[in-house]
mmCIF file of all heavy atoms in Angstrom:
data_model
loop_
_atom_site.group_PDB
_atom_site.id
_atom_site.type_symbol
_atom_site.label_atom_id
_atom_site.label_comp_id
_atom_site.label_asym_id
_atom_site.label_seq_id
_atom_site.Cartn_x
_atom_site.Cartn_y
_atom_site.Cartn_z
ATOM 1 N N GLU A 1096 -33.004 -14.418 -13.019
ATOM 2 C CA GLU A 1096 -34.367 -13.862 -13.430
ATOM 3 C C GLU A 1096 -34.539 -12.407 -13.137
ATOM 4 O O GLU A 1096 -35.127 -11.655 -13.990
ATOM 5 C CB GLU A 1096 -35.415 -14.646 -12.567
ATOM 6 C CG GLU A 1096 -36.920 -14.291 -13.022
ATOM 7 C CD GLU A 1096 -37.958 -15.166 -12.210
ATOM 8 O OE1 GLU A 1096 -37.531 -16.119 -11.540
ATOM 9 O OE2 GLU A 1096 -39.065 -14.741 -12.273
ATOM 10 N N MET A 1097 -33.913 -11.910 -12.154
ATOM 11 C CA MET A 1097 -33.967 -10.534 -11.857
ATOM 12 C C MET A 1097 -33.077 -9.689 -12.814
ATOM 13 O O MET A 1097 -33.516 -8.584 -13.217
ATOM 14 C CB MET A 1097 -33.553 -10.196 -10.413
ATOM 15 C CG MET A 1097 -34.660 -10.669 -9.383
ATOM 16 S SD MET A 1097 -34.109 -10.383 -7.666
ATOM 17 C CE MET A 1097 -34.328 -8.617 -7.516
ATOM 18 N N GLU A 1098 -31.921 -10.197 -13.066
ATOM 19 C CA GLU A 1098 -30.916 -9.436 -13.898
ATOM 20 C C GLU A 1098 -30.228 -10.442 -14.803
ATOM 21 O O GLU A 1098 -29.143 -11.053 -14.611
ATOM 22 C CB GLU A 1098 -29.919 -8.760 -13.024
ATOM 23 C CG GLU A 1098 -30.453 -7.655 -12.172
ATOM 24 C CD GLU A 1098 -30.944 -6.462 -12.937
ATOM 25 O OE1 GLU A 1098 -30.798 -6.483 -14.193
ATOM 26 O OE2 GLU A 1098 -31.545 -5.657 -12.368
ATOM 27 N N PRO A 1099 -30.838 -10.732 -15.995
ATOM 28 C CA PRO A 1099 -30.314 -11.768 -17.009
ATOM 29 C C PRO A 1099 -28.938 -11.322 -17.533
ATOM 30 O O PRO A 1099 -28.271 -12.274 -18.148
ATOM 31 C CB PRO A 1099 -31.413 -11.864 -18.053
ATOM 32 C CG PRO A 1099 -32.142 -10.599 -17.940
ATOM 33 C CD PRO A 1099 -32.132 -10.105 -16.490
ATOM 34 N N ASP A 1100 -28.544 -10.177 -17.514
ATOM 35 C CA ASP A 1100 -27.261 -9.748 -18.192
ATOM 36 C C ASP A 1100 -26.059 -10.061 -17.348
ATOM 37 O O ASP A 1100 -24.893 -9.957 -17.768
ATOM 38 C CB ASP A 1100 -27.292 -8.235 -18.490
ATOM 39 C CG ASP A 1100 -28.276 -7.887 -19.705
ATOM 40 O OD1 ASP A 1100 -28.462 -8.692 -20.437
ATOM 41 O OD2 ASP A 1100 -28.914 -6.721 -19.580
ATOM 42 N N LEU A 1101 -26.202 -10.577 -16.086
ATOM 43 C CA LEU A 1101 -25.130 -10.812 -15.199
ATOM 44 C C LEU A 1101 -24.222 -11.964 -15.800
ATOM 45 O O LEU A 1101 -24.628 -12.884 -16.516
ATOM 46 C CB LEU A 1101 -25.635 -11.271 -13.775
ATOM 47 C CG LEU A 1101 -26.168 -10.081 -12.952
ATOM 48 C CD1 LEU A 1101 -26.740 -10.683 -11.837
ATOM 49 C CD2 LEU A 1101 -25.051 -9.135 -12.528
ATOM 50 N N SER A 1102 -22.941 -11.912 -15.433
ATOM 51 C CA SER A 1102 -21.922 -12.923 -15.908
ATOM 52 C C SER A 1102 -22.310 -14.289 -15.358
ATOM 53 O O SER A 1102 -22.896 -14.442 -14.377
ATOM 54 C CB SER A 1102 -20.537 -12.553 -15.388
ATOM 55 O OG SER A 1102 -19.726 -13.521 -15.557
ATOM 56 N N LYS A 1103 -22.006 -15.206 -16.103
ATOM 57 C CA LYS A 1103 -22.211 -16.606 -15.722
ATOM 58 C C LYS A 1103 -21.391 -16.957 -14.395
ATOM 59 O O LYS A 1103 -21.573 -17.975 -13.759
ATOM 60 C CB LYS A 1103 -21.911 -17.602 -16.800
ATOM 61 C CG LYS A 1103 -22.875 -17.419 -17.997
ATOM 62 C CD LYS A 1103 -22.556 -18.522 -19.162
ATOM 63 C CE LYS A 1103 -23.588 -18.401 -20.252
ATOM 64 N NZ LYS A 1103 -23.162 -19.381 -21.361
ATOM 65 N N ASP A 1104 -20.364 -16.247 -14.314
ATOM 66 C CA ASP A 1104 -19.454 -16.441 -13.007
ATOM 67 C C ASP A 1104 -20.101 -15.996 -11.790
ATOM 68 O O ASP A 1104 -19.767 -16.372 -10.622
ATOM 69 C CB ASP A 1104 -18.107 -15.759 -13.183
ATOM 70 C CG ASP A 1104 -17.268 -16.263 -14.444
ATOM 71 O OD1 ASP A 1104 -17.387 -17.416 -14.593
ATOM 72 O OD2 ASP A 1104 -16.448 -15.432 -14.933
ATOM 73 N N ILE A 1105 -21.185 -15.041 -11.914
ATOM 74 C CA ILE A 1105 -21.870 -14.634 -10.805
ATOM 75 C C ILE A 1105 -23.013 -15.781 -10.455
ATOM 76 O O ILE A 1105 -23.810 -16.002 -11.217
ATOM 77 C CB ILE A 1105 -22.587 -13.297 -11.104
ATOM 78 C CG1 ILE A 1105 -21.604 -12.219 -11.389
ATOM 79 C CG2 ILE A 1105 -23.465 -12.918 -9.963
ATOM 80 C CD1 ILE A 1105 -20.683 -11.810 -10.296
ATOM 81 N N VAL A 1106 -22.749 -16.344 -9.299
ATOM 82 C CA VAL A 1106 -23.602 -17.472 -8.898
ATOM 83 C C VAL A 1106 -24.561 -17.307 -7.681
ATOM 84 O O VAL A 1106 -25.335 -18.063 -7.341
ATOM 85 C CB VAL A 1106 -22.787 -18.672 -8.604
ATOM 86 C CG1 VAL A 1106 -21.948 -19.114 -9.883
ATOM 87 C CG2 VAL A 1106 -21.710 -18.462 -7.404
ATOM 88 N N SER A 1107 -24.364 -16.148 -7.127
ATOM 89 C CA SER A 1107 -25.352 -15.793 -5.864
ATOM 90 C C SER A 1107 -25.277 -14.277 -5.795
ATOM 91 O O SER A 1107 -24.449 -13.506 -6.223
ATOM 92 C CB SER A 1107 -24.832 -16.430 -4.615
ATOM 93 O OG SER A 1107 -23.486 -16.098 -4.263
ATOM 94 N N ALA A 1108 -26.316 -13.803 -4.966
ATOM 95 C CA ALA A 1108 -26.516 -12.411 -4.822
ATOM 96 C C ALA A 1108 -27.287 -12.226 -3.481
ATOM 97 O O ALA A 1108 -28.046 -12.996 -2.933
ATOM 98 C CB ALA A 1108 -27.281 -11.706 -5.965
ATOM 99 N N LEU A 1109 -27.028 -11.091 -2.733
ATOM 100 C CA LEU A 1109 -27.822 -10.617 -1.664
ATOM 101 C C LEU A 1109 -28.681 -9.579 -2.082
ATOM 102 O O LEU A 1109 -28.253 -8.457 -2.690
ATOM 103 C CB LEU A 1109 -26.865 -10.085 -0.492
ATOM 104 C CG LEU A 1109 -27.577 -9.898 0.729
ATOM 105 C CD1 LEU A 1109 -28.089 -11.015 1.439
ATOM 106 C CD2 LEU A 1109 -26.588 -9.129 1.732
ATOM 107 N N TRP A 1110 -30.077 -9.743 -1.815
ATOM 108 C CA TRP A 1110 -31.087 -8.784 -2.348
ATOM 109 C C TRP A 1110 -31.345 -7.789 -1.141
ATOM 110 O O TRP A 1110 -31.655 -8.216 -0.023
ATOM 111 C CB TRP A 1110 -32.368 -9.559 -2.725
ATOM 112 C CG TRP A 1110 -33.560 -8.794 -2.924
ATOM 113 C CD1 TRP A 1110 -34.763 -8.897 -2.244
ATOM 114 C CD2 TRP A 1110 -33.685 -7.596 -3.787
ATOM 115 N NE1 TRP A 1110 -35.710 -7.938 -2.775
ATOM 116 C CE2 TRP A 1110 -35.112 -7.173 -3.719
ATOM 117 C CE3 TRP A 1110 -32.939 -6.998 -4.810
ATOM 118 C CZ2 TRP A 1110 -35.529 -6.090 -4.461
ATOM 119 C CZ3 TRP A 1110 -33.414 -5.901 -5.513
ATOM 120 C CH2 TRP A 1110 -34.689 -5.491 -5.336
ATOM 121 N N CYS A 1111 -31.243 -6.503 -1.396
ATOM 122 C CA CYS A 1111 -31.455 -5.475 -0.351
ATOM 123 C C CYS A 1111 -32.656 -4.670 -0.796
ATOM 124 O O CYS A 1111 -32.350 -3.554 -1.596
ATOM 125 C CB CYS A 1111 -30.271 -4.691 -0.160
ATOM 126 S SG CYS A 1111 -28.856 -5.622 0.295
ATOM 127 N N PRO A 1112 -33.791 -4.827 -0.531
ATOM 128 C CA PRO A 1112 -34.909 -4.103 -1.164
ATOM 129 C C PRO A 1112 -35.116 -2.638 -0.569
ATOM 130 O O PRO A 1112 -35.746 -1.914 -1.244
ATOM 131 C CB PRO A 1112 -36.169 -4.868 -0.630
ATOM 132 C CG PRO A 1112 -35.736 -5.722 0.548
ATOM 133 C CD PRO A 1112 -34.287 -5.963 0.293
ATOM 134 N N LYS A 1113 -34.392 -2.162 0.491
ATOM 135 C CA LYS A 1113 -34.635 -0.955 1.036
ATOM 136 C C LYS A 1113 -33.658 0.105 0.289
ATOM 137 O O LYS A 1113 -33.843 1.333 0.585
ATOM 138 C CB LYS A 1113 -34.093 -0.949 2.530
ATOM 139 C CG LYS A 1113 -35.157 -1.662 3.444
ATOM 140 C CD LYS A 1113 -36.344 -0.737 3.625
ATOM 141 C CE LYS A 1113 -37.188 -1.324 4.878
ATOM 142 N NZ LYS A 1113 -38.340 -0.538 5.171
ATOM 143 N N THR A 1114 -32.728 -0.283 -0.463
ATOM 144 C CA THR A 1114 -31.907 0.529 -1.251
ATOM 145 C C THR A 1114 -32.762 1.263 -2.288
ATOM 146 O O THR A 1114 -33.681 0.777 -2.822
ATOM 147 C CB THR A 1114 -30.677 -0.097 -1.880
ATOM 148 O OG1 THR A 1114 -30.045 -0.797 -0.851
ATOM 149 C CG2 THR A 1114 -29.789 0.819 -2.549
ATOM 150 N N GLY A 1115 -32.438 2.621 -2.540
ATOM 151 C CA GLY A 1115 -32.993 3.349 -3.637
ATOM 152 C C GLY A 1115 -32.181 4.482 -4.103
ATOM 153 O O GLY A 1115 -30.924 4.604 -3.861
#
Side-chain angles (χ1 to χ4, degrees):
E1096 184 177 347
M1097 292 179 72
E1098 296 294 352
D1100 291 327
L1101 286 168
S1102 166
K1103 292 180 180 177
D1104 293 332
I1105 300 297
V1106 296
S1107 59
L1109 187 66
W1110 169 237
C1111 308
K1113 288 283 192 178
T1114 303

